[in-house]
Amino acid sequence: MKSISELTDFYYKKLHPVLEELDKNRERVKKRVITIGIIYTLIAALLFFSLLDYMNIEFIVFSLVGYVALGGILYRFLISDYRDEFKEKVIRPLIEEIDSSFHYIPDLHVDVEYFNRSYLFPSPDRYSGNDLVKGKIDGVDLTFSDLHAEKEHRDSKGRRSYSTIFKGLFIISDFHKNFKGKTVVLPDTAQSTFGDLIGSFLQANNFSRSGDLVKMDSPEFEKEFVVYGSDQIEARYILTHTLMEKILHYRKHSGHPVYVSFRGRNIYMAIEYNKDLFEPSIFNSLLEYKIAMEYIKTLHLSIGIVEELKLNQKIWSKHG
Amino acid sequence: MSTPLIIAIVIGIILVLMYNSLVSKKNQVENIFASIDTQLKKRYDLIPNLVASVGKYMEHEKSILQEVTKLRAEANKPNISDEEKIHLDAKVTSALGSIMVAVENYPELKANENVMHLQRSLNEVEEQISAARRAYNQAVTDYNNAIEMIPTNFMASAMSYTRKEVFEIPDTQRQNVNVKELFNS
């Protein structure tokens, strides 16, 4: 697999003419967004103040929410062409540069069935995503996409609202061992928030999780993660010392909370980002190093999981 | 309800909870040990095959092969204690490790399909045993903690529960020896 520096080289050397062209486009879109944004705000403010005398507090809140929501839709509409062009001309070549066998479908996402099968999060009421990548690396199947899963809430007046269950990158890959049960690795929030004593009590009595608490024999891993499993031995069969080290390394590398589960014949990984990945920002230049690096690093991290976990080991009894 | 009665009920509940938790910890240890036993048996079943496949070639390692066969026979004796099983396991692990390393010196063996298959199976069983050992050690630690810590220690001594021994995990397995290297070198 190509290294981050090779990909950065590719970004700047091979994509440069395209990027320059695209960046001019971005400037035009940015100007349009700012102009229309100002006009939109002025009209909204005019309407707001002319109706102010007739408004109660609820109506004021409602109109503010409406202003933001409509603004968001307007923004997405204004940048949609630029966004499509950015994905085709920047993200697609980058993915294909990593491995030409990868398929990139900007508008699709990982199916909700896989999300539920991972057992990492409660099943969502609203589910969306994009930037689906599918392919094989070293003979190992790999699929990932951006996801946003939400839960619906209703208040006493029947009004609906949504809270985020998960937002970020979701990765599915083959795993090289055979196992029957399920093992789930979650960020250890209880122990880091409440300390060892209360934290471990809360972990052991977490009724929202199926399976038992599995205490791992690696203090470093235990500090960062909590493991639940349907089978104490199987959980340790999957999570060897080497794999624990690799997951820890992956966690440090990503810099974001990491959720891992093993089920069926797959490993599922969810990396929380709390933002839409691979989306262009029209307020930052495409030629800025930091912005480019973020796309490259995220892609490298998603695809690099196969190498990181050495999923292509052929020494195991499991074949194919 | 009178106060002494309430106190008596609360104490009763606490005693029952303590008793149940100790029994469940002891059963967990036994339960996991049974899984180790199954895996150990699987490994012992592979040994005659392995010895037969490599024996023809390994002239210099005859003594290790004999040692492994002897250990297998000992482990298969009826009525051996858990402690003996633990000690035999450590010896077999180290002897099998030496055989696997020795295989590297024989190109004919490295190319032999049967030996390759045996190595894969053995590797799989070793992983399972290693996982079971780690699970067992955790269960024993929980159990030992319970019988030594206040207040469950009083109950444990009344039930005449004693400390149990943990498996010593070989250093090579702590680092998870990369068997792939053995194959490729």
Side-chain angles (χ1 to χ4, degrees):
Chain A
M1 201 181 112
K2 298 233 165 49
S3 69
I4 289 187
S5 59
E6 280 173 309
L7 288 173
T8 318
D9 275 358
F10 173 79
Y11 185 89
Y12 283 110
K13 284 182 187 154
K14 294 276 171 61
L15 292 183
H16 207 264
V18 181
L19 289 173
E20 272 180 323
E21 192 56 39
L22 208 61
D23 211 48
K24 278 184 205 148
N25 222 339
R26 185 188 64 81
E27 284 291 348
R28 272 198 293 275
V29 177
K30 186 172 115 183
K31 272 187 199 138
R32 200 184 308 150
V33 166
I34 293 174
T35 318
I36 294 180
I38 292 172
I39 296 172
Y40 168 68
T41 309
L42 283 176
I43 293 174
L46 215 66
L47 263 174
F48 183 79
F49 287 113
S50 59
L51 294 172
L52 195 62
D53 291 345
Y54 312 101
M55 284 183 183
N56 55 14
I57 185 77
E58 254 185 31
F59 201 82
I60 293 175
V61 173
F62 177 76
S63 40
L64 277 176
V65 171
Y67 165 75
V68 173
L70 198 66
I73 295 169
L74 199 65
Y75 175 78
R76 283 190 84 84
F77 174 73
L78 286 172
I79 66 152
S80 70
D81 282 347
Y82 170 70
R83 178 177 170 267
D84 292 348
E85 210 184 344
F86 165 82
K87 292 200 173 183
E88 282 307 319
K89 291 185 171 165
V90 179
I91 300 295
R92 186 185 292 280
L94 265 175
I95 289 171
E96 285 171 359
E97 176 65 13
I98 295 179
D99 197 305
S100 58
S101 71
F102 276 117
H103 296 291
Y104 172 57
I105 312 151
D107 295 327
L108 291 187
H109 54 75
V110 167
D111 208 78
V112 69
E113 197 187 312
Y114 289 104
F115 182 80
N116 287 334
R117 210 182 286 171
S118 75
Y119 264 94
L120 286 172
F121 307 98
S123 75
D125 297 312
R126 193 160 75 176
Y127 184 81
S128 62
N130 50 29
D131 296 309
L132 180 74
V133 178
K134 254 174 136 69
K136 252 181 202 287
I137 196 153
D138 294 327
V140 176
D141 278 323
L142 180 73
T143 306
F144 63 89
S145 87
D146 224 1
L147 280 189
H148 188 195
E150 293 163 289
K151 194 99 203 145
E152 190 184 287
H153 306 279
R154 273 174 198 272
D155 65 10
S156 53
K157 288 181 183 161
R159 281 177 299 202
R160 268 186 291 186
S161 64
Y162 290 91
S163 64
T164 295
I165 300 170
F166 170 73
K167 193 173 168 71
L169 196 66
F170 195 83
I171 308 170
I172 309 163
S173 173
D174 287 341
F175 195 61
H176 59 273
K177 286 181 179 175
N178 282 312
F179 50 89
K180 295 189 205 84
K182 50 178 186 262
T183 303
V184 180
V185 181
L186 306 171
D188 190 347
T189 40
Q191 234 162 316
S192 50
T193 319
F194 300 105
D196 277 354
L197 201 68
I198 302 173
S200 14
F201 175 79
L202 288 174
Q203 283 171 357
N205 296 290
N206 186 347
F207 298 112
S208 65
R209 282 281 151 200
S210 61
D212 297 328
L213 178 72
V214 183
K215 285 187 230 163
M216 301 308 293
D217 46 357
S218 157
E220 240 184 295
F221 189 84
E222 268 294 300
K223 220 168 104 188
E224 202 74 50
F225 296 103
V226 52
V227 182
Y228 293 97
S230 53
D231 182 330
Q232 292 279 338
I233 298 175
E234 194 173 80
R236 289 172 176 94
Y237 169 65
I238 290 167
L239 290 164
T240 58
H241 286 111
T242 322
L243 189 61
M244 285 193 282
E245 253 168 49
K246 285 183 170 167
I247 293 176
L248 263 176
H249 181 245
Y250 195 75
R251 158 79 186 85
K252 278 184 196 136
H253 206 64
S254 76
H256 294 266
V258 171
Y259 302 73
V260 194
S261 79
F262 302 85
R263 206 173 166 226
R265 47 184 314 221
N266 296 112
I267 170 169
Y268 299 85
M269 298 194 85
I271 306 158
E272 211 168 72
Y273 274 95
N274 283 323
K275 67 169 187 173
D276 226 349
L277 302 159
F278 312 121
E279 296 295 318
S281 155
I282 61 149
F283 298 104
N284 292 302
S285 167
L286 287 170
L287 304 164
E288 248 177 66
Y289 183 72
K290 222 182 87 190
I291 303 292
M293 277 311 285
E294 229 181 289
Y295 295 124
I296 291 172
K297 264 171 125 174
T298 314
L299 274 177
H300 198 263
L301 187 81
S302 342
I303 297 171
I305 185 66
V306 171
E307 249 174 39
E308 185 63 48
L309 301 183
K310 292 267 182 262
L311 295 177
N312 51 347
Q313 283 187 72
K314 289 288 176 218
I315 57 160
W316 304 97
S317 51
K318 177 173 169 178
H319 286 296
Chain B
M1 221 186 286
S2 68
T3 319
L5 188 64
I6 294 174
I7 292 172
I9 291 174
V10 171
I11 290 177
I13 292 174
I14 291 173
L15 288 176
V16 169
L17 287 178
M18 267 165 41
Y19 179 84
N20 287 350
S21 118
L22 279 167
V23 172
S24 102
K25 286 194 169 72
K26 186 183 81 97
N27 288 345
Q28 172 82 333
V29 170
E30 280 168 8
N31 187 14
I32 293 180
F33 196 85
S35 312
I36 299 184
D37 239 6
T38 322
Q39 295 301 334
L40 288 178
K41 193 175 172 324
K42 254 195 218 166
R43 181 169 71 177
Y44 290 132
D45 289 346
L46 288 171
I47 289 175
N49 233 331
L50 180 76
V51 171
S53 307
V54 302
K56 282 179 281 180
Y57 300 92
M58 291 187 164
E59 284 304 320
H60 302 291
E61 289 81 10
K62 274 267 154 24
S63 60
I64 313 177
L65 294 178
Q66 278 163 2
E67 164 84 359
V68 171
T69 315
K70 203 181 99 212
L71 289 171
R72 178 182 180 272
E74 266 178 59
N76 279 339
K77 273 187 206 152
N79 306 329
I80 64 166
S81 71
D82 290 356
E83 280 74 27
E84 279 173 299
K85 279 181 191 165
I86 291 177
H87 290 139
L88 278 172
D89 164 67
K91 283 186 194 163
V92 172
T93 304
S94 110
L96 279 177
S98 317
I99 295 176
M100 286 307 163
V101 173
V103 165
E104 288 311 295
N105 301 327
Y106 300 87
E108 311 93 308
L109 282 179
K110 272 180 11 183
N112 186 320
E113 265 299 311
N114 190 27
V115 174
M116 286 290 283
H117 178 74
L118 270 171
Q119 275 190 314
R120 264 205 296 269
S121 310
L122 208 58
N123 187 43
E124 174 78 27
V125 177
E126 287 294 341
E127 279 287 315
Q128 294 276 9
I129 295 177
S130 159
R133 275 197 208 109
R134 288 165 60 206
Y136 178 78
N137 284 357
Q138 186 60 53
V140 169
T141 309
D142 286 346
Y143 166 85
N144 284 347
N145 283 346
I147 65 169
E148 282 178 10
M149 280 178 181
I150 296 172
T152 35
N153 58 342
F154 300 116
M155 174 74 86
S157 69
M159 290 157 81
S160 56
Y161 277 10
T162 49
R163 269 186 73 91
K164 285 186 188 284
E165 207 175 329
V166 294
F167 270 92
E168 260 187 47
I169 298 191
D171 275 348
T172 48
Q173 280 192 0
R174 277 203 178 283
Q175 298 151 8
N176 245 306
V177 65
N178 190 352
V179 187
K180 200 176 170 190
E181 278 167 20
L182 297 181
F183 279 74
N184 290 344
S185 55

